[in-house]
Amino acid sequence: MDRIRAEINNDRRAFIKKVLNGTIAGSLLLVIPAGASEVAEQLSGMRAEQSIFTKKRFAFIVDVTRCIGCGSCCVADKLEYNVPDGNYRTWVERYIIDDEDNVYVDSPDGGLGGYVEPRKDIPHPVRDTFFVPKLCNMCKKPSCVQVCPVGATFQTEDGFVLIDKERCVGCGYCIQACPYSVRFLNPETKTADKCTWCYHRVRKGLLPACVNVCPVGARKFGDLDDHESEVYKILHLPHVVSVLKPGMGNKPALHYVGLRREVV
Amino acid sequence: MGDNHNTHVKWVVGFLTMAAILGLIVKKVLVPEGFGTYGHYRAGAILDEFNRETRHMTNDSCLSCHPFIKEMHLEGIHRTVSCEFCHGPYGDHIRNGKKVATLPVKKGEEITALCLRCHNQIIRARPKESIKMITMPDHLENKKVQTDHNCDQCHNVHAPLMYVKQAREMMHMSSREDK
């Protein structure tokens, strides 16, 4: 009797799952043609993906040695999401290291207006300067998901850490838990908000907005299962590749090329 | 006698049943639809994120309607610069395939300010292999033009070296004489 009941339950679960998958996939199909179809696919094969989770392994790579700090990415990000003033889903930091090995970091308005003024408060000759773009690290073991008390922050099977605006109660635990400080409380929705690697664009075959606008190719996005992709080649060739705060154990999927030791 | 001896058991069973029913109703009300389908979250949240409006398109989508600009932009060294960075997002211009507004065209000092976001030598930290840098107003003085000139008076913003090359050709200057 118990065995039969278990089987029925199992069947029921599978059935519900199938129906739900069907409806969600169906609604995806309805949505895809609008807006995106007239533009060539930037991420090949994404428009053919019909399941709720793609089978791809996405990676985001920031090349610190290329970034010129123009702030195109910040502008695109703000306009794509209408981010309220004073909050940043992505931002660009300027690092200056002087001859005495002092490190100066600034990011006026998150780099949104670009870097137009040199820093004048540095007493010693400057040894090294560079820009570091920051965004969500899309950790494989996200601490923000772990602490959310209402299941509003979650990780999809294809690696995106997303926020459910309907569920979020704005308690701010995730904002404190994120080792990379990428989360903020959106003053308009009163919910947690952060970079999504442009999930909505990626699923429609477009690159994240910041990757799309970067004039020097400092931001790269692609599928690690595609061995011809730029991200695969960078991660599998002898480049100086590292992640931020590896000691936190969050296993970020965001990698940096040419990251200096001073960057936190 | 009869049934009276187990009244308290009935009370307990009745209470527990009511509690269970109440619990189920509360759960039904509080737990949103689709919660737990894929994990400890609402399945519809993925769809919500998916359906977010795409406000930026690609350079190809802009240039498909602007053939004259396309020719210049793709020829020049600014071909990697995004249209939407200077002009604003596609979504402000086209909605459902129809033009809804005209994007502003930058003029005069706005252009110089945009140019200097990338090309300002004073901001060190810019890798030479990525981009050519200039110092203002030294650049204008070196080129022997008035120091109140804006960049677009010599450089086509879409193809910065187009006019410069054309001028050199006209003057039969084959190689670059400047530093």
Side-chain angles (χ1 to χ4, degrees), chain A residues 21 31 39 42 65 68 70 76 79-81 112 114-115 118 129 154 164 166 199-201 203-204 212 215, chain B residues 32 37-38 41-42 46-47 49-52 54-58 80 82 117-118 122-123 125-127 130:
Chain A
N21 269 340
V31 174
V39 190
Q42 287 176 313
T65 63
I68 56 170
C70 65
L79 295 176
E80 180 76 18
Y81 295 94
L112 193 64
Y115 286 85
T129 63
F154 57 95
D164 182 355
E166 313 264 309
Y199 181 78
H200 64 300
R201 296 174 59 85
R203 286 304 305 260
K204 289 162 201 157
N212 184 42
Chain B
T37 311
Y38 303 115
Y41 59 92
R42 197 171 57 88
I46 300 174
L47 201 59
E49 194 59 49
F50 182 98
N51 285 333
R52 199 190 272 273
T54 307
R55 287 174 37 77
H56 285 75
M57 281 293 165
T58 63
T80 60
S82 161
R117 272 181 86 129
C118 298
I122 291 176
I123 311 301
R126 285 177 175 158
S130 290

Side-chain angles (χ1 to χ4, degrees), chain A residues 87-104:
Chain A
N87 296 294
Y88 311 95
R89 295 167 70 104
T90 183
W91 67 97
V92 177
E93 292 170 359
R94 169 168 60 181
Y95 277 73
I96 301 174
I97 304 169
D98 72 9
D99 274 351
E100 303 287 312
D101 286 345
N102 298 311
V103 183
Y104 306 84

Side-chain angles (χ1 to χ4, degrees), chain B residues 55-132:
Chain B
R55 287 174 37 77
H56 285 75
M57 281 293 165
T58 63
N59 274 13
D60 286 347
S61 44
C62 302
L63 297 176
S64 67
C65 293
H66 299 276
F68 177 62
I69 303 288
K70 178 179 182 177
E71 206 174 301
M72 279 193 303
H73 197 78
L74 296 185
E75 286 283 303
I77 49 170
H78 269 180
R79 71 185 83 88
T80 60
V81 176
S82 161
C83 307
E84 290 161 305
F85 173 52
C86 298
H87 295 285
Y90 181 93
D92 287 352
H93 180 45
I94 307 284
R95 241 161 230 274
N96 302 323
K98 294 229 161 55
K99 181 178 164 184
V100 289
T102 308
L103 291 176
V105 176
K106 298 282 195 301
K107 286 200 172 69
E109 283 177 8
E110 286 177 329
I111 288 184
T112 302
L114 269 175
C115 298
L116 287 178
R117 272 181 86 129
C118 298
H119 294 281
N120 194 354
Q121 182 125 48
I122 291 176
I123 311 301
R124 301 166 54 180
R126 285 177 175 158
K128 283 189 191 67
E129 57 271 23
S130 290
I131 191 164
K132 203 174 163 187

